[in-house]
Amino acid sequence: MFRAGLLSTGIQDLALELIQEIIFYSSIVNWSETLSKTELAALCLVCRQFKSAAEPFLFSEVKYDFLRHAPASVMDYLQTLAERTNPAVQYAKTLRIRKLIPNLRGEPCEGVLAREKLGHLIMQATRSLQNVRSVYWNLYTFDAMYSVIDGLVELPHIEELHLEFSNLPVQWQVSDTMPIRRFGNLRCINISGSHLSSILAMDLIIQIRTMVKDGGVLTHFGFTLPSGIVGIPNKCLLHEIVQEVPRTSPLKLCHLRVEGYSLKIDSVTLPHLRVLSSLDVSRMPNEETGIQRQLWTGLRAASIQLRDIVIGGINEQLLQYLKSYPGLEQFAAHGEWRGMQKGSDQADPPNLEALSRELYSAVIPVHMDSLVSFKALTRWLTESPSCISYDNIASILVCKKLATLAFTVKVADINNNQDMIRDVLKMALDLPHIKTIEVSYAWGGRCRWGCCSSGRLKQRMEDIIYSIDVHNDIRRNLTCCEIMFEGNRYIPGITEDGLLRFLNFKKLHPLFIQSSTNLRL
């Protein structure tokens, strides 16, 4: 109740900064992408304050993906950017580029004039995005590519350049295809491509080497090195990149993604890795016996304490390294934890169970005060010690700051041990800060594709999910949880019987969809 004479205050009377905070926490992408562009646009219609608060989120990203759009609508959109009448000119921080050219069949002069006009408009539109910091570009053709580049190099604040070459035909991947040397202040360079040509890869490496030699400020670096490349001894790419950097002014690499090449800790690379905090070696090749063992031993000897690690397999040296310091925040193991081929750097099958037990019992407790994300996912196993069980979930529960948990269950357990899966989910949901639980399934032992169809697995997992009584089984307050299994999501909702259960996300009325803890399955 209000005292007489005092006016009530509505949300529209709050300060703009507070309204923006509300909208921000309601639209965090890592939760459930609750507020779509349509919903953000609707918020803009509430009142002036909401419009001012929501527009920075609504127009924070610009996408160039025009193939399925009518040429006239594409031209109109680009024109609004070029003329700076589009709010994205003021608010956009990210530019995502895919297919630049719409279907121009039937256009005058068979599209020649239209292509020229479109290329000019793309350049002018790109130049207008003066606040863009990050560019994500999936290259398909050369069409309008250099129009984009000519526009991008005039943007003063670009710090991140992410390039994906998987969809660009190999015959077009030649020297100087992508002149990244024209970008002078890049802090992040991330180059990927399942079919990246050796010629283009080597050209990009030379350009990056020149950039860092001349005083580049590179802190985040990721590169997919083609298997057939020549000219890089032992595939030690980092050596090739930093070899001409003055020792008096080394790079300050914070994040490194190693894919298709080796990483060695020695006198050449160590000065540039002193502040390294994030390392992804999940696709590091294992052609040389002991290469990852040497990596973890070198990091431990240099007292480099990573906060974020992504690996493809475990070994004793990794576990010893992780036990040598506290403070790990994110750990992810993707791919196979079982023994690899002869010469592999991963553990042999007889030792894997012992290593897995050591990870859960001796490593995780060292980081229980800092760990916020733990992921152990795989799909194929002959033996499955990495799969969840009562023992290893008990070790995980000591991590009271854990916000993201991803684990694997065996298909055999989905079929025959459903109580265990249900209990594990309930225990995980009781973690005080949990936001995301992601569960995958693994085929192992005698269970193969033929023993259980994907439809049957989906139904059995849905039964497990449905059986969790959100009101009575979970001690902490969960307003809404999201479960994903094979592309299907489930969130708590009221059943026809009045029970609070996990229900199919697609079948619920939109009013039930709220900001939520995620349970991705």
Side-chain angles (χ1 to χ4, degrees):
M1 296 180 63
F2 294 96
R3 293 182 180 178
L6 292 181
L7 297 176
S8 61
T9 302
I11 192 171
Q12 69 273 15
D13 299 312
L14 295 175
L16 177 62
E17 293 80 5
L18 291 177
I19 298 176
Q20 285 182 326
E21 285 291 305
I22 294 170
I23 294 174
F24 172 73
Y25 283 108
S26 298
S27 58
I28 293 177
V29 174
N30 287 336
W31 287 12
S32 59
E33 300 186 55
T34 305
L35 295 184
S36 65
K37 293 289 185 181
T38 301
E39 291 163 328
L40 285 169
L43 281 176
C44 291
L45 302 176
V46 173
C47 59
R48 283 194 298 261
Q49 291 90 336
F50 268 56
K51 182 176 184 291
S52 299
E55 276 190 343
F57 301 100
L58 178 61
F59 298 105
S60 63
E61 183 175 285
V62 170
K63 292 183 180 180
Y64 290 174
D65 193 4
F66 303 142
L67 179 63
R68 297 185 179 182
H69 295 272
S73 64
V74 172
M75 298 285 192
D76 290 343
Y77 172 70
L78 292 172
Q79 192 71 42
T80 63
L81 291 175
E83 294 175 351
R84 302 177 185 271
T85 58
N86 192 314
V89 170
Q90 179 181 355
Y91 298 117
K93 300 294 191 296
T94 301
L95 174 61
R96 296 186 184 274
I97 308 170
R98 286 177 60 84
K99 298 179 180 180
L100 288 165
I101 304 298
N103 189 347
L104 296 174
R105 291 179 183 177
E107 293 295 312
C109 301
E110 297 182 358
V112 174
L113 295 178
R115 285 178 184 270
E116 291 180 359
K117 181 180 180 181
L118 181 64
H120 178 73
L121 269 179
I122 287 176
M123 180 178 64
Q124 295 298 326
T126 305
R127 284 176 176 172
S128 73
L129 303 174
Q130 291 290 302
N131 292 314
V132 163
R133 265 71 171 171
S134 305
V135 177
Y136 295 81
W137 194 348
N138 193 334
L139 290 98
Y140 284 81
T141 68
F142 283 157
D143 289 331
M145 184 175 80
Y146 293 104
S147 296
V148 173
I149 294 174
D150 289 341
L152 289 176
V153 295
E154 296 191 21
L155 302 185
H157 302 298
I158 288 186
E159 296 180 339
E160 299 183 23
L161 185 60
H162 303 261
L163 301 174
E164 171 60 63
F165 290 95
S166 295
N167 297 299
L168 186 66
V170 175
Q171 63 268 26
W172 295 352
Q173 297 183 29
V174 295
S175 295
D176 215 29
T177 295
M178 176 56 64
I180 59 175
R181 62 183 178 276
R182 296 180 63 184
F183 300 89
N185 298 308
L186 293 178
R187 294 184 177 275
C188 173
I189 298 176
N190 190 25
I191 295 173
S192 304
S194 55
H195 304 291
L196 187 65
S197 75
S198 297
I199 296 174
L200 176 57
M202 200 66 213
D203 177 68
L204 293 171
I205 291 168
I206 293 171
Q207 292 187 63
I208 296 170
R209 183 173 64 198
T210 302
M211 292 168 68
V212 298
K213 178 189 70 173
D214 294 339
V217 291
L218 194 64
T219 59
H220 293 61
F221 180 64
F223 202 101
T224 301
L225 194 69
S227 58
I229 197 168
V230 295
I232 300 180
N234 300 318
K235 289 191 175 181
C236 294
L237 178 59
L238 194 58
H239 287 72
E240 190 72 19
I241 295 290
V242 304
Q243 61 180 338
E244 298 181 22
V245 177
R247 295 197 171 222
T248 55
S249 54
L251 297 178
K252 296 180 179 180
L253 290 173
C254 299
H255 176 86
L256 188 61
R257 178 178 62 84
V258 179
E259 182 173 349
Y261 61 94
S262 304
L263 177 62
K264 293 184 178 180
I265 308 297
D266 56 24
S267 59
V268 176
T269 60
L270 183 57
H272 308 279
L273 301 174
R274 285 295 184 185
V275 296
L276 189 69
S277 61
S278 176
L279 179 61
D280 182 349
V281 291
S282 59
R283 295 187 178 182
M284 183 174 172
N286 293 303
E287 287 128 6
E288 293 183 39
T289 302
I291 192 167
Q292 286 201 23
R293 294 186 175 92
Q294 295 171 7
L295 169 63
W296 302 119
T297 301
L299 289 172
R300 182 182 179 187
S303 298
I304 296 174
Q305 300 180 357
L306 297 173
R307 296 196 302 270
D308 182 0
I309 296 177
V310 183
I311 62 169
I314 56 176
N315 56 52
E316 181 60 36
Q317 285 69 29
L318 168 65
L319 299 183
Q320 293 302 318
Y321 166 72
L322 291 175
K323 288 190 290 185
S324 68
Y325 71 97
L328 182 68
E329 296 176 2
Q330 299 184 67
F331 176 87
H334 298 298
E336 302 179 12
W337 283 28
R338 61 180 172 85
M340 302 289 186
Q341 297 176 353
K342 185 177 180 180
S344 164
D345 210 44
Q346 314 303 330
D348 295 326
N351 300 323
L352 183 57
E353 187 173 354
L355 291 176
S356 183
R357 284 199 303 267
E358 185 177 358
L359 172 68
Y360 285 104
S361 64
V363 173
I364 291 179
V366 174
H367 305 279
M368 65 180 184
D369 293 327
S370 59
L371 199 64
V372 296
S373 176
F374 180 84
K375 299 181 178 181
L377 298 174
T378 187
R379 183 67 102 183
W380 293 96
L381 299 166
T382 51
E383 298 292 336
S384 310
S386 59
C387 290
I388 202 68
S389 67
Y390 285 116
D391 291 336
N392 47 38
I393 190 62
S395 299
I396 292 171
L397 293 179
V398 303
C399 303
K400 299 304 182 183
K401 291 184 178 180
L402 200 66
T404 301
L405 173 62
F407 55 80
T408 302
V409 296
K410 288 182 280 189
V411 169
D413 287 334
I414 297 177
N415 291 328
N416 305 314
N417 198 3
Q418 299 176 1
D419 288 343
M420 185 273 290
I421 298 176
R422 184 186 305 106
D423 291 344
V424 165
L425 290 174
K426 291 192 296 185
M427 286 187 283
L429 286 169
D430 271 330
L431 285 165
H433 298 289
I434 197 70
K435 293 179 180 178
T436 302
I437 300 177
E438 181 180 357
V439 184
S440 180
Y441 65 88
W443 301 87
R446 297 180 178 179
C447 193
R448 292 292 185 265
W449 284 104
C451 74
C452 189
S453 67
S454 58
R456 186 174 298 177
L457 277 178
K458 172 187 170 183
Q459 185 57 54
R460 288 178 177 172
M461 186 59 70
E462 188 167 307
D463 292 340
I464 296 173
I465 295 168
Y466 183 82
S467 68
I468 298 175
D469 187 336
V470 179
H471 180 69
N472 294 316
D473 292 343
I474 311 301
R475 288 175 294 180
R476 72 199 271 290
N477 182 23
L478 293 178
T479 57
C480 187
C481 303
E482 185 175 79
I483 304 174
M484 180 178 290
F485 179 70
E486 295 299 292
N488 290 280
R489 291 182 174 185
Y490 308 86
I491 64 173
I494 305 298
T495 68
E496 294 180 356
D497 300 328
L499 301 175
L500 188 58
R501 299 285 198 227
F502 285 103
L503 304 176
N504 195 310
F505 180 86
K506 297 177 182 179
K507 298 179 182 179
L508 292 176
H509 191 277
L511 291 177
F512 284 101
I513 301 172
Q514 303 174 13
S515 174
S516 68
T517 298
N518 289 310
L519 181 55
R520 293 180 183 168
L521 193 57

